Amino acid sequence: MISEWFTSEALLAAFLIFVGAFVQTSIGFGLAIVAAPLLFLVSPDYVPAPIVLVALFISILNAMKYRSNIEIGGLKIALMGRIPGSIAGGLLLLYVSGDVLALWLGVLVLLAVVISLMPFRIEPTPTRMGIAGFLSGFFGTSSAIGGPPMALLLQHQDADKLRGNLSAFFVFSSMISLAVQAPVGFLTLHHLWITIPLIPAGWAGYQLARMTTGSLPKEKIRLGALMLCSISGATAVWQGIAAM
């Protein structure tokens, strides 16, 4: 029923998606990192498929905006690695409990924060792109958090090129994850229904980022996102440990 879209739970989920979409549009990735652990606490049904659906929507918008900066050739190997990684992530969903998934989400987010703070540079060679694609598929399909492996390799690109390439990668990789989540029961009509009110929230976050990104220093947005990620990741880890 439509009334389900206006419960306190649904409104909180929409707010988290709004914040995540703002972060992803601002720096190129981060929707799931910010939103997934806390959304899982709101309701496990929101992870992973609804987040992936919103990520697909936001990624299409960003890919269109930064289409002139996209270099598809460099992403092909990563997308090839994404397929077996997504299958492995789908199998993980079949065999882990909700408590373990909460802990998994939190650990992945905290790991992403640590990786983002590392000072060294990793060159995106074909082999590394394939490995990053596999890890992105595994993490993205099982938890919706597939951005960090690719962002780590591409983080030193020009800002618009980073946003464009990550968005293009997420468009295709989100489709791959959804194709795997459906047969294992994590993408159903129920998941589609609860995603509907999240789409306008994601669009609002995208629009706010477009209006403010130019005036806000990228480093401040990045540090703010990392702070939010640390809080949400630590909360998810605590919740997972407490429930086990």
Side-chain angles (χ1 to χ4, degrees), residues 9 12-13 15-17 19 31-44 46-47 51 102 105-106 109 145 227-237 239:
E9 183 179 276
L12 178 55
F15 173 74
L16 292 171
I17 287 294
V19 176
L31 188 153
I33 297 175
V34 171
L38 296 179
L39 272 177
F40 190 85
L41 298 181
V42 172
S43 171
Y46 285 115
V47 182
I51 296 180
L105 281 167
V109 169
I145 304 174
M227 185 179 298
L228 287 173
C229 294
S230 298
I231 294 172
S232 64
T235 300
V237 169
Q239 181 75 13

Side-chain angles (χ1 to χ4, degrees), residues 71-95:
E71 298 175 343
I72 291 294
L75 300 176
K76 288 181 181 178
I77 295 178
L79 288 170
M80 291 173 61
R82 230 304 183 157
I83 297 173
S86 295
I87 294 173
L91 292 174
L92 181 68
L93 287 173
L94 288 175
Y95 296 107

